[in-house]
Amino acid sequence: MQRTTLPAALAAGALLLSLTGCGGDAEAGGKTVTVTVGYQSKTINTTTAGTLLRSLGYFERELRALGHRKGVTYKVKWQDYATGAPITAQMVAGKVDIGSMGDFPLLINSGRGTQLNAPTRLVSVTGYNLRGGLNTIVTKPGSKLRDLSGLRGKKVSTSVGSAADGTLVRALQDAGIEPENGVEKLNQQPAVGASALEAGSADALSQFVAWPGLLAFQGKAKALYDGSRLNLPTFHGVTARDAFAKDNPDVLQAFLSAQIDANRYLDDHPLPAAQKVAKATGLPPEVVYLYNGAGGIATFDPAIKPALIAALKKDVPILRKAKLTGPVDVNSFVDDRYIKRAYGSAGAYAKALRAAPPASPNQVWLKGENTVRSFPSSAALLRFTAAHQGKVRAAYVPDTATGTRWFADRAVWAEDGGQPRAFVTPANARTWIAAHPGARLVSYATALKEAK
């Protein structure tokens, strides 16, 4: 057995701290502190804690002011991942201090952190949809599948343990299909699943922002199931290592203050924000705006709303049944102390908690323009679009039943009492038609023609 002298042991411990996230030795010496942030650039409803925040430089600005007050130089190390799972692995290893991920990965993050005695805390929310519209199940454009019942025995690609997997499980259960045995589930990264769908090795794909919208925009998929039919909130949030938060509360405070400012920028400048995210990720700006634009599928404010906490508690049994996590104490995982302070007053935070998502407007983005036009109805949008054939960059309409925003030329259309009605999926349209005698399905071309 080798003996290690006390000075050598202390030096080794200091080296370990400097290599794992926010270095305690650097803090003590008043030198340089590196904060490591894990994010998902293409999961664009985390953008106010990731891609957009990074693009705007707000976190670095807050840290410069903090460093000036404390005599410390802060550096930010941004690490980009495709899903939440690797962020969790890095967090429990002490190598990522702050991370953003979806609701199911957040719970896995909590369970894993507790299991390994490296607890994490949910400290804010990024993008959310109170009905569940952030996740969508899509099929190939020429698929004969009309609803979820047709998936029985079929191959469905998803990322197991992701928010999209949670939507798939719940949707299949509602359709009377056993999630684990009723379909052949393919556990794949989003990009791999998209390729599998295109190649025909998967019959359907259940994924999160922004993959369904991207594939629909590219003409590579059509929506089969709108996650909003679950009427259960889905969201992404920010989690921090508990040890990091306790040792560096002012740094975490700086991050959340920066996130609030990024959220304000997105609210005030939705189109420029979408263009910034598009430039950073390579995603089409039209797709980013579908989710992150004014009244988009994702709503952004960092407050941890009670409805989102309640949804997390409903998620735990599903994850445990799938053996993806052990026990999770949601109440202890949620820590809203830091975001409350970042808002500056109890009144400001209470107002944020009460804020309701805005309704999705009918909007058209013309080629060559850097503004979008809003219309009071889908009929007005169709008339404008019909008069500007070839000039429309993107047109957006809300689903008549669920409110989920979708591309007008990818939507399912119906005529009801002389009024055009848009839907994300055929199932949504059929449900409406069944409840409205006289309503009928029409093609997009017919909807344009009849709106003139």
mmCIF file with all atom_site columns, all heavy atoms in Angstrom, residues 36 38 84-101 109 113 118-121 238-242:
data_model
loop_
_atom_site.group_PDB
_atom_site.id
_atom_site.type_symbol
_atom_site.label_atom_id
_atom_site.label_alt_id
_atom_site.label_comp_id
_atom_site.label_asym_id
_atom_site.label_entity_id
_atom_site.label_seq_id
_atom_site.pdbx_PDB_ins_code
_atom_site.Cartn_x
_atom_site.Cartn_y
_atom_site.Cartn_z
_atom_site.occupancy
_atom_site.B_iso_or_equiv
_atom_site.pdbx_formal_charge
_atom_site.auth_seq_id
_atom_site.auth_comp_id
_atom_site.auth_asym_id
_atom_site.auth_atom_id
_atom_site.pdbx_PDB_model_num
ATOM 1   N N   . THR A 1 36  ? -19.369 25.507 -16.718 1.00 0.00 ? 36  THR A N   1
ATOM 2   C CA  . THR A 1 36  ? -19.677 24.660 -17.869 1.00 0.00 ? 36  THR A CA  1
ATOM 3   C C   . THR A 1 36  ? -21.186 24.497 -18.007 1.00 0.00 ? 36  THR A C   1
ATOM 4   O O   . THR A 1 36  ? -21.857 24.072 -17.066 1.00 0.00 ? 36  THR A O   1
ATOM 5   C CB  . THR A 1 36  ? -19.009 23.287 -17.732 1.00 0.00 ? 36  THR A CB  1
ATOM 6   O OG1 . THR A 1 36  ? -17.594 23.468 -17.549 1.00 0.00 ? 36  THR A OG1 1
ATOM 7   C CG2 . THR A 1 36  ? -19.238 22.442 -18.980 1.00 0.00 ? 36  THR A CG2 1
ATOM 8   N N   . GLY A 1 38  ? -24.202 22.768 -20.250 1.00 0.00 ? 38  GLY A N   1
ATOM 9   C CA  . GLY A 1 38  ? -24.611 21.792 -21.243 1.00 0.00 ? 38  GLY A CA  1
ATOM 10  C C   . GLY A 1 38  ? -25.955 22.177 -21.835 1.00 0.00 ? 38  GLY A C   1
ATOM 11  O O   . GLY A 1 38  ? -26.900 22.474 -21.101 1.00 0.00 ? 38  GLY A O   1
ATOM 12  N N   . GLY A 1 84  ? -30.752 14.978 -23.783 1.00 0.00 ? 84  GLY A N   1
ATOM 13  C CA  . GLY A 1 84  ? -30.449 15.280 -22.392 1.00 0.00 ? 84  GLY A CA  1
ATOM 14  C C   . GLY A 1 84  ? -29.603 14.242 -21.686 1.00 0.00 ? 84  GLY A C   1
ATOM 15  O O   . GLY A 1 84  ? -28.932 14.544 -20.698 1.00 0.00 ? 84  GLY A O   1
ATOM 16  N N   . ALA A 1 85  ? -29.608 12.983 -22.179 1.00 0.00 ? 85  ALA A N   1
ATOM 17  C CA  . ALA A 1 85  ? -28.914 11.899 -21.474 1.00 0.00 ? 85  ALA A CA  1
ATOM 18  C C   . ALA A 1 85  ? -27.425 12.179 -21.247 1.00 0.00 ? 85  ALA A C   1
ATOM 19  O O   . ALA A 1 85  ? -26.925 12.016 -20.122 1.00 0.00 ? 85  ALA A O   1
ATOM 20  C CB  . ALA A 1 85  ? -29.104 10.585 -22.228 1.00 0.00 ? 85  ALA A CB  1
ATOM 21  N N   . PRO A 1 86  ? -26.657 12.596 -22.266 1.00 0.00 ? 86  PRO A N   1
ATOM 22  C CA  . PRO A 1 86  ? -25.236 12.861 -22.013 1.00 0.00 ? 86  PRO A CA  1
ATOM 23  C C   . PRO A 1 86  ? -25.005 14.055 -21.094 1.00 0.00 ? 86  PRO A C   1
ATOM 24  O O   . PRO A 1 86  ? -23.978 14.096 -20.401 1.00 0.00 ? 86  PRO A O   1
ATOM 25  C CB  . PRO A 1 86  ? -24.664 13.109 -23.413 1.00 0.00 ? 86  PRO A CB  1
ATOM 26  C CG  . PRO A 1 86  ? -25.828 13.452 -24.270 1.00 0.00 ? 86  PRO A CG  1
ATOM 27  C CD  . PRO A 1 86  ? -26.988 12.709 -23.702 1.00 0.00 ? 86  PRO A CD  1
ATOM 28  N N   . ILE A 1 87  ? -25.929 14.995 -21.080 1.00 0.00 ? 87  ILE A N   1
ATOM 29  C CA  . ILE A 1 87  ? -25.784 16.118 -20.143 1.00 0.00 ? 87  ILE A CA  1
ATOM 30  C C   . ILE A 1 87  ? -25.893 15.595 -18.718 1.00 0.00 ? 87  ILE A C   1
ATOM 31  O O   . ILE A 1 87  ? -25.113 15.989 -17.834 1.00 0.00 ? 87  ILE A O   1
ATOM 32  C CB  . ILE A 1 87  ? -26.853 17.192 -20.414 1.00 0.00 ? 87  ILE A CB  1
ATOM 33  C CG1 . ILE A 1 87  ? -26.711 17.756 -21.824 1.00 0.00 ? 87  ILE A CG1 1
ATOM 34  C CG2 . ILE A 1 87  ? -26.749 18.326 -19.382 1.00 0.00 ? 87  ILE A CG2 1
ATOM 35  C CD1 . ILE A 1 87  ? -27.764 18.787 -22.191 1.00 0.00 ? 87  ILE A CD1 1
ATOM 36  N N   . THR A 1 88  ? -26.859 14.696 -18.482 1.00 0.00 ? 88  THR A N   1
ATOM 37  C CA  . THR A 1 88  ? -26.993 14.091 -17.158 1.00 0.00 ? 88  THR A CA  1
ATOM 38  C C   . THR A 1 88  ? -25.720 13.355 -16.765 1.00 0.00 ? 88  THR A C   1
ATOM 39  O O   . THR A 1 88  ? -25.240 13.485 -15.626 1.00 0.00 ? 88  THR A O   1
ATOM 40  C CB  . THR A 1 88  ? -28.195 13.133 -17.136 1.00 0.00 ? 88  THR A CB  1
ATOM 41  O OG1 . THR A 1 88  ? -29.401 13.895 -17.178 1.00 0.00 ? 88  THR A OG1 1
ATOM 42  C CG2 . THR A 1 88  ? -28.203 12.274 -15.879 1.00 0.00 ? 88  THR A CG2 1
ATOM 43  N N   . ALA A 1 89  ? -25.167 12.567 -17.682 1.00 0.00 ? 89  ALA A N   1
ATOM 44  C CA  . ALA A 1 89  ? -23.942 11.811 -17.388 1.00 0.00 ? 89  ALA A CA  1
ATOM 45  C C   . ALA A 1 89  ? -22.812 12.751 -16.986 1.00 0.00 ? 89  ALA A C   1
ATOM 46  O O   . ALA A 1 89  ? -22.057 12.472 -16.038 1.00 0.00 ? 89  ALA A O   1
ATOM 47  C CB  . ALA A 1 89  ? -23.542 10.981 -18.602 1.00 0.00 ? 89  ALA A CB  1
ATOM 48  N N   . GLN A 1 90  ? -22.706 13.875 -17.671 1.00 0.00 ? 90  GLN A N   1
ATOM 49  C CA  . GLN A 1 90  ? -21.646 14.829 -17.357 1.00 0.00 ? 90  GLN A CA  1
ATOM 50  C C   . GLN A 1 90  ? -21.918 15.571 -16.053 1.00 0.00 ? 90  GLN A C   1
ATOM 51  O O   . GLN A 1 90  ? -20.988 15.910 -15.318 1.00 0.00 ? 90  GLN A O   1
ATOM 52  C CB  . GLN A 1 90  ? -21.507 15.836 -18.508 1.00 0.00 ? 90  GLN A CB  1
ATOM 53  C CG  . GLN A 1 90  ? -21.008 15.224 -19.811 1.00 0.00 ? 90  GLN A CG  1
ATOM 54  C CD  . GLN A 1 90  ? -19.561 14.787 -19.720 1.00 0.00 ? 90  GLN A CD  1
ATOM 55  O OE1 . GLN A 1 90  ? -19.244 13.693 -19.230 1.00 0.00 ? 90  GLN A OE1 1
ATOM 56  N NE2 . GLN A 1 90  ? -18.668 15.625 -20.170 1.00 0.00 ? 90  GLN A NE2 1
ATOM 57  N N   . MET A 1 91  ? -23.190 15.794 -15.755 1.00 0.00 ? 91  MET A N   1
ATOM 58  C CA  . MET A 1 91  ? -23.517 16.500 -14.521 1.00 0.00 ? 91  MET A CA  1
ATOM 59  C C   . MET A 1 91  ? -23.206 15.649 -13.294 1.00 0.00 ? 91  MET A C   1
ATOM 60  O O   . MET A 1 91  ? -22.625 16.140 -12.321 1.00 0.00 ? 91  MET A O   1
ATOM 61  C CB  . MET A 1 91  ? -24.983 16.922 -14.521 1.00 0.00 ? 91  MET A CB  1
ATOM 62  C CG  . MET A 1 91  ? -25.310 18.029 -15.508 1.00 0.00 ? 91  MET A CG  1
ATOM 63  S SD  . MET A 1 91  ? -26.981 18.688 -15.334 1.00 0.00 ? 91  MET A SD  1
ATOM 64  C CE  . MET A 1 91  ? -26.770 19.749 -13.901 1.00 0.00 ? 91  MET A CE  1
ATOM 65  N N   . VAL A 1 92  ? -23.608 14.378 -13.322 1.00 0.00 ? 92  VAL A N   1
ATOM 66  C CA  . VAL A 1 92  ? -23.362 13.536 -12.154 1.00 0.00 ? 92  VAL A CA  1
ATOM 67  C C   . VAL A 1 92  ? -21.868 13.261 -11.987 1.00 0.00 ? 92  VAL A C   1
ATOM 68  O O   . VAL A 1 92  ? -21.414 12.919 -10.890 1.00 0.00 ? 92  VAL A O   1
ATOM 69  C CB  . VAL A 1 92  ? -24.160 12.219 -12.215 1.00 0.00 ? 92  VAL A CB  1
ATOM 70  C CG1 . VAL A 1 92  ? -25.648 12.490 -12.183 1.00 0.00 ? 92  VAL A CG1 1
ATOM 71  C CG2 . VAL A 1 92  ? -23.774 11.385 -13.427 1.00 0.00 ? 92  VAL A CG2 1
ATOM 72  N N   . ALA A 1 93  ? -21.098 13.428 -13.074 1.00 0.00 ? 93  ALA A N   1
ATOM 73  C CA  . ALA A 1 93  ? -19.647 13.295 -12.992 1.00 0.00 ? 93  ALA A CA  1
ATOM 74  C C   . ALA A 1 93  ? -18.988 14.599 -12.551 1.00 0.00 ? 93  ALA A C   1
ATOM 75  O O   . ALA A 1 93  ? -17.765 14.652 -12.393 1.00 0.00 ? 93  ALA A O   1
ATOM 76  C CB  . ALA A 1 93  ? -19.084 12.867 -14.347 1.00 0.00 ? 93  ALA A CB  1
ATOM 77  N N   . GLY A 1 94  ? -19.795 15.642 -12.377 1.00 0.00 ? 94  GLY A N   1
ATOM 78  C CA  . GLY A 1 94  ? -19.261 16.924 -11.936 1.00 0.00 ? 94  GLY A CA  1
ATOM 79  C C   . GLY A 1 94  ? -18.630 17.742 -13.041 1.00 0.00 ? 94  GLY A C   1
ATOM 80  O O   . GLY A 1 94  ? -17.917 18.710 -12.776 1.00 0.00 ? 94  GLY A O   1
ATOM 81  N N   . LYS A 1 95  ? -18.887 17.387 -14.296 1.00 0.00 ? 95  LYS A N   1
ATOM 82  C CA  . LYS A 1 95  ? -18.223 18.068 -15.412 1.00 0.00 ? 95  LYS A CA  1
ATOM 83  C C   . LYS A 1 95  ? -19.106 19.086 -16.124 1.00 0.00 ? 95  LYS A C   1
ATOM 84  O O   . LYS A 1 95  ? -18.643 19.822 -16.977 1.00 0.00 ? 95  LYS A O   1
ATOM 85  C CB  . LYS A 1 95  ? -17.710 17.024 -16.403 1.00 0.00 ? 95  LYS A CB  1
ATOM 86  C CG  . LYS A 1 95  ? -16.629 16.120 -15.812 1.00 0.00 ? 95  LYS A CG  1
ATOM 87  C CD  . LYS A 1 95  ? -16.125 15.107 -16.820 1.00 0.00 ? 95  LYS A CD  1
ATOM 88  C CE  . LYS A 1 95  ? -15.036 14.225 -16.208 1.00 0.00 ? 95  LYS A CE  1
ATOM 89  N NZ  . LYS A 1 95  ? -14.532 13.218 -17.174 1.00 0.00 ? 95  LYS A NZ  1
ATOM 90  N N   . VAL A 1 96  ? -20.393 19.098 -15.816 1.00 0.00 ? 96  VAL A N   1
ATOM 91  C CA  . VAL A 1 96  ? -21.305 20.129 -16.305 1.00 0.00 ? 96  VAL A CA  1
ATOM 92  C C   . VAL A 1 96  ? -22.011 20.717 -15.094 1.00 0.00 ? 96  VAL A C   1
ATOM 93  O O   . VAL A 1 96  ? -22.504 19.971 -14.241 1.00 0.00 ? 96  VAL A O   1
ATOM 94  C CB  . VAL A 1 96  ? -22.324 19.564 -17.319 1.00 0.00 ? 96  VAL A CB  1
ATOM 95  C CG1 . VAL A 1 96  ? -23.460 20.550 -17.547 1.00 0.00 ? 96  VAL A CG1 1
ATOM 96  C CG2 . VAL A 1 96  ? -21.652 19.241 -18.645 1.00 0.00 ? 96  VAL A CG2 1
ATOM 97  N N   . ASP A 1 97  ? -22.040 22.034 -15.007 1.00 0.00 ? 97  ASP A N   1
ATOM 98  C CA  . ASP A 1 97  ? -22.623 22.704 -13.845 1.00 0.00 ? 97  ASP A CA  1
ATOM 99  C C   . ASP A 1 97  ? -24.106 22.997 -14.016 1.00 0.00 ? 97  ASP A C   1
ATOM 100 O O   . ASP A 1 97  ? -24.899 22.844 -13.086 1.00 0.00 ? 97  ASP A O   1
ATOM 101 C CB  . ASP A 1 97  ? -21.879 24.017 -13.581 1.00 0.00 ? 97  ASP A CB  1
ATOM 102 C CG  . ASP A 1 97  ? -20.397 23.793 -13.358 1.00 0.00 ? 97  ASP A CG  1
ATOM 103 O OD1 . ASP A 1 97  ? -20.063 22.950 -12.509 1.00 0.00 ? 97  ASP A OD1 1
ATOM 104 O OD2 . ASP A 1 97  ? -19.584 24.456 -14.029 1.00 0.00 ? 97  ASP A OD2 1
ATOM 105 N N   . ILE A 1 98  ? -24.481 23.442 -15.216 1.00 0.00 ? 98  ILE A N   1
ATOM 106 C CA  . ILE A 1 98  ? -25.853 23.823 -15.520 1.00 0.00 ? 98  ILE A CA  1
ATOM 107 C C   . ILE A 1 98  ? -26.240 23.151 -16.834 1.00 0.00 ? 98  ILE A C   1
ATOM 108 O O   . ILE A 1 98  ? -25.462 23.154 -17.794 1.00 0.00 ? 98  ILE A O   1
ATOM 109 C CB  . ILE A 1 98  ? -25.988 25.358 -15.671 1.00 0.00 ? 98  ILE A CB  1
ATOM 110 C CG1 . ILE A 1 98  ? -25.523 26.071 -14.392 1.00 0.00 ? 98  ILE A CG1 1
ATOM 111 C CG2 . ILE A 1 98  ? -27.418 25.748 -16.017 1.00 0.00 ? 98  ILE A CG2 1
ATOM 112 C CD1 . ILE A 1 98  ? -25.388 27.580 -14.555 1.00 0.00 ? 98  ILE A CD1 1
ATOM 113 N N   . GLY A 1 99  ? -27.431 22.561 -16.882 1.00 0.00 ? 99  GLY A N   1
ATOM 114 C CA  . GLY A 1 99  ? -27.853 21.884 -18.104 1.00 0.00 ? 99  GLY A CA  1
ATOM 115 C C   . GLY A 1 99  ? -29.332 22.109 -18.378 1.00 0.00 ? 99  GLY A C   1
ATOM 116 O O   . GLY A 1 99  ? -30.110 22.399 -17.464 1.00 0.00 ? 99  GLY A O   1
ATOM 117 N N   . SER A 1 100 ? -29.728 21.990 -19.641 1.00 0.00 ? 100 SER A N   1
ATOM 118 C CA  . SER A 1 100 ? -31.142 22.117 -19.997 1.00 0.00 ? 100 SER A CA  1
ATOM 119 C C   . SER A 1 100 ? -31.589 20.882 -20.758 1.00 0.00 ? 100 SER A C   1
ATOM 120 O O   . SER A 1 100 ? -30.844 20.354 -21.589 1.00 0.00 ? 100 SER A O   1
ATOM 121 C CB  . SER A 1 100 ? -31.387 23.383 -20.834 1.00 0.00 ? 100 SER A CB  1
ATOM 122 O OG  . SER A 1 100 ? -30.549 23.427 -21.964 1.00 0.00 ? 100 SER A OG  1
ATOM 123 N N   . MET A 1 101 ? -32.806 20.408 -20.460 1.00 0.00 ? 101 MET A N   1
ATOM 124 C CA  . MET A 1 101 ? -33.318 19.173 -21.055 1.00 0.00 ? 101 MET A CA  1
ATOM 125 C C   . MET A 1 101 ? -34.823 19.092 -20.844 1.00 0.00 ? 101 MET A C   1
ATOM 126 O O   . MET A 1 101 ? -35.414 19.905 -20.132 1.00 0.00 ? 101 MET A O   1
ATOM 127 C CB  . MET A 1 101 ? -32.617 17.960 -20.438 1.00 0.00 ? 101 MET A CB  1
ATOM 128 C CG  . MET A 1 101 ? -32.777 17.855 -18.939 1.00 0.00 ? 101 MET A CG  1
ATOM 129 S SD  . MET A 1 101 ? -31.650 16.623 -18.194 1.00 0.00 ? 101 MET A SD  1
ATOM 130 C CE  . MET A 1 101 ? -30.068 17.450 -18.359 1.00 0.00 ? 101 MET A CE  1
ATOM 131 N N   . ASN A 1 109 ? -32.470 12.685 -14.722 1.00 0.00 ? 109 ASN A N   1
ATOM 132 C CA  . ASN A 1 109 ? -31.354 13.442 -14.160 1.00 0.00 ? 109 ASN A CA  1
ATOM 133 C C   . ASN A 1 109 ? -31.444 13.470 -12.643 1.00 0.00 ? 109 ASN A C   1
ATOM 134 O O   . ASN A 1 109 ? -30.456 13.226 -11.928 1.00 0.00 ? 109 ASN A O   1
ATOM 135 C CB  . ASN A 1 109 ? -31.381 14.856 -14.743 1.00 0.00 ? 109 ASN A CB  1
ATOM 136 C CG  . ASN A 1 109 ? -30.270 15.753 -14.227 1.00 0.00 ? 109 ASN A CG  1
ATOM 137 O OD1 . ASN A 1 109 ? -30.337 16.241 -13.104 1.00 0.00 ? 109 ASN A OD1 1
ATOM 138 N ND2 . ASN A 1 109 ? -29.278 15.981 -15.059 1.00 0.00 ? 109 ASN A ND2 1
ATOM 139 N N   . GLY A 1 113 ? -28.897 11.492 -10.206 1.00 0.00 ? 113 GLY A N   1
ATOM 140 C CA  . GLY A 1 113 ? -28.108 12.278 -9.271  1.00 0.00 ? 113 GLY A CA  1
ATOM 141 C C   . GLY A 1 113 ? -28.282 11.810 -7.834  1.00 0.00 ? 113 GLY A C   1
ATOM 142 O O   . GLY A 1 113 ? -27.319 11.726 -7.072  1.00 0.00 ? 113 GLY A O   1
ATOM 143 N N   . ALA A 1 118 ? -25.044 12.692 -6.113  1.00 0.00 ? 118 ALA A N   1
ATOM 144 C CA  . ALA A 1 118 ? -24.657 13.933 -6.793  1.00 0.00 ? 118 ALA A CA  1
ATOM 145 C C   . ALA A 1 118 ? -25.943 14.642 -7.216  1.00 0.00 ? 118 ALA A C   1
ATOM 146 O O   . ALA A 1 118 ? -26.225 14.772 -8.407  1.00 0.00 ? 118 ALA A O   1
ATOM 147 C CB  . ALA A 1 118 ? -23.770 13.639 -7.986  1.00 0.00 ? 118 ALA A CB  1
ATOM 148 N N   . PRO A 1 119 ? -26.767 15.070 -6.238  1.00 0.00 ? 119 PRO A N   1
ATOM 149 C CA  . PRO A 1 119 ? -28.102 15.575 -6.543  1.00 0.00 ? 119 PRO A CA  1
ATOM 150 C C   . PRO A 1 119 ? -28.102 16.819 -7.428  1.00 0.00 ? 119 PRO A C   1
ATOM 151 O O   . PRO A 1 119 ? -27.160 17.616 -7.413  1.00 0.00 ? 119 PRO A O   1
ATOM 152 C CB  . PRO A 1 119 ? -28.682 15.897 -5.160  1.00 0.00 ? 119 PRO A CB  1
ATOM 153 C CG  . PRO A 1 119 ? -27.489 16.089 -4.282  1.00 0.00 ? 119 PRO A CG  1
ATOM 154 C CD  . PRO A 1 119 ? -26.449 15.149 -4.795  1.00 0.00 ? 119 PRO A CD  1
ATOM 155 N N   . THR A 1 120 ? -29.167 16.951 -8.207  1.00 0.00 ? 120 THR A N   1
ATOM 156 C CA  . THR A 1 120 ? -29.384 18.121 -9.051  1.00 0.00 ? 120 THR A CA  1
ATOM 157 C C   . THR A 1 120 ? -30.729 18.738 -8.695  1.00 0.00 ? 120 THR A C   1
ATOM 158 O O   . THR A 1 120 ? -31.559 18.116 -8.037  1.00 0.00 ? 120 THR A O   1
ATOM 159 C CB  . THR A 1 120 ? -29.370 17.736 -10.543 1.00 0.00 ? 120 THR A CB  1
ATOM 160 O OG1 . THR A 1 120 ? -30.382 16.743 -10.772 1.00 0.00 ? 120 THR A OG1 1
ATOM 161 C CG2 . THR A 1 120 ? -28.017 17.170 -10.950 1.00 0.00 ? 120 THR A CG2 1
ATOM 162 N N   . ARG A 1 121 ? -30.931 19.964 -9.150  1.00 0.00 ? 121 ARG A N   1
ATOM 163 C CA  . ARG A 1 121 ? -32.165 20.674 -8.847  1.00 0.00 ? 121 ARG A CA  1
ATOM 164 C C   . ARG A 1 121 ? -32.708 21.346 -10.109 1.00 0.00 ? 121 ARG A C   1
ATOM 165 O O   . ARG A 1 121 ? -31.953 21.887 -10.915 1.00 0.00 ? 121 ARG A O   1
ATOM 166 C CB  . ARG A 1 121 ? -31.918 21.756 -7.774  1.00 0.00 ? 121 ARG A CB  1
ATOM 167 C CG  . ARG A 1 121 ? -31.408 21.211 -6.448  1.00 0.00 ? 121 ARG A CG  1
ATOM 168 C CD  . ARG A 1 121 ? -32.476 20.484 -5.677  1.00 0.00 ? 121 ARG A CD  1
ATOM 169 N NE  . ARG A 1 121 ? -31.973 19.978 -4.397  1.00 0.00 ? 121 ARG A NE  1
ATOM 170 C CZ  . ARG A 1 121 ? -31.727 18.708 -4.134  1.00 0.00 ? 121 ARG A CZ  1
ATOM 171 N NH1 . ARG A 1 121 ? -31.968 17.784 -5.056  1.00 0.00 ? 121 ARG A NH1 1
ATOM 172 N NH2 . ARG A 1 121 ? -31.269 18.323 -2.964  1.00 0.00 ? 121 ARG A NH2 1
ATOM 173 N N   . VAL A 1 238 ? -34.200 23.975 -16.836 1.00 0.00 ? 238 VAL A N   1
ATOM 174 C CA  . VAL A 1 238 ? -32.793 24.118 -16.482 1.00 0.00 ? 238 VAL A CA  1
ATOM 175 C C   . VAL A 1 238 ? -32.543 23.427 -15.151 1.00 0.00 ? 238 VAL A C   1
ATOM 176 O O   . VAL A 1 238 ? -33.269 23.657 -14.175 1.00 0.00 ? 238 VAL A O   1
ATOM 177 C CB  . VAL A 1 238 ? -32.397 25.606 -16.375 1.00 0.00 ? 238 VAL A CB  1
ATOM 178 C CG1 . VAL A 1 238 ? -30.943 25.744 -15.930 1.00 0.00 ? 238 VAL A CG1 1
ATOM 179 C CG2 . VAL A 1 238 ? -32.609 26.306 -17.715 1.00 0.00 ? 238 VAL A CG2 1
ATOM 180 N N   . THR A 1 239 ? -31.542 22.587 -15.128 1.00 0.00 ? 239 THR A N   1
ATOM 181 C CA  . THR A 1 239 ? -31.155 21.908 -13.896 1.00 0.00 ? 239 THR A CA  1
ATOM 182 C C   . THR A 1 239 ? -29.709 22.257 -13.562 1.00 0.00 ? 239 THR A C   1
ATOM 183 O O   . THR A 1 239 ? -28.895 22.503 -14.453 1.00 0.00 ? 239 THR A O   1
ATOM 184 C CB  . THR A 1 239 ? -31.329 20.377 -14.038 1.00 0.00 ? 239 THR A CB  1
ATOM 185 O OG1 . THR A 1 239 ? -31.000 19.738 -12.803 1.00 0.00 ? 239 THR A OG1 1
ATOM 186 C CG2 . THR A 1 239 ? -30.452 19.801 -15.126 1.00 0.00 ? 239 THR A CG2 1
ATOM 187 N N   . ALA A 1 240 ? -29.432 22.317 -12.277 1.00 0.00 ? 240 ALA A N   1
ATOM 188 C CA  . ALA A 1 240 ? -28.079 22.646 -11.818 1.00 0.00 ? 240 ALA A CA  1
ATOM 189 C C   . ALA A 1 240 ? -27.635 21.626 -10.783 1.00 0.00 ? 240 ALA A C   1
ATOM 190 O O   . ALA A 1 240 ? -28.455 21.089 -10.031 1.00 0.00 ? 240 ALA A O   1
ATOM 191 C CB  . ALA A 1 240 ? -28.042 24.050 -11.213 1.00 0.00 ? 240 ALA A CB  1
ATOM 192 N N   . ARG A 1 241 ? -26.342 21.366 -10.765 1.00 0.00 ? 241 ARG A N   1
ATOM 193 C CA  . ARG A 1 241 ? -25.808 20.497 -9.709  1.00 0.00 ? 241 ARG A CA  1
ATOM 194 C C   . ARG A 1 241 ? -26.036 21.186 -8.373  1.00 0.00 ? 241 ARG A C   1
ATOM 195 O O   . ARG A 1 241 ? -25.751 22.375 -8.212  1.00 0.00 ? 241 ARG A O   1
ATOM 196 C CB  . ARG A 1 241 ? -24.319 20.238 -9.918  1.00 0.00 ? 241 ARG A CB  1
ATOM 197 C CG  . ARG A 1 241 ? -23.991 19.399 -11.126 1.00 0.00 ? 241 ARG A CG  1
ATOM 198 C CD  . ARG A 1 241 ? -22.522 18.948 -11.139 1.00 0.00 ? 241 ARG A CD  1
ATOM 199 N NE  . ARG A 1 241 ? -21.605 20.076 -11.203 1.00 0.00 ? 241 ARG A NE  1
ATOM 200 C CZ  . ARG A 1 241 ? -20.798 20.447 -10.220 1.00 0.00 ? 241 ARG A CZ  1
ATOM 201 N NH1 . ARG A 1 241 ? -20.821 19.810 -9.052  1.00 0.00 ? 241 ARG A NH1 1
ATOM 202 N NH2 . ARG A 1 241 ? -19.977 21.478 -10.370 1.00 0.00 ? 241 ARG A NH2 1
ATOM 203 N N   . ASP A 1 242 ? -26.541 20.441 -7.401  1.00 0.00 ? 242 ASP A N   1
ATOM 204 C CA  . ASP A 1 242 ? -26.853 21.020 -6.106  1.00 0.00 ? 242 ASP A CA  1
ATOM 205 C C   . ASP A 1 242 ? -25.598 21.589 -5.442  1.00 0.00 ? 242 ASP A C   1
ATOM 206 O O   . ASP A 1 242 ? -25.638 22.691 -4.871  1.00 0.00 ? 242 ASP A O   1
ATOM 207 C CB  . ASP A 1 242 ? -27.480 19.944 -5.211  1.00 0.00 ? 242 ASP A CB  1
ATOM 208 C CG  . ASP A 1 242 ? -28.057 20.518 -3.931  1.00 0.00 ? 242 ASP A CG  1
ATOM 209 O OD1 . ASP A 1 242 ? -28.802 21.507 -4.020  1.00 0.00 ? 242 ASP A OD1 1
ATOM 210 O OD2 . ASP A 1 242 ? -27.762 19.971 -2.848  1.00 0.00 ? 242 ASP A OD2 1
#
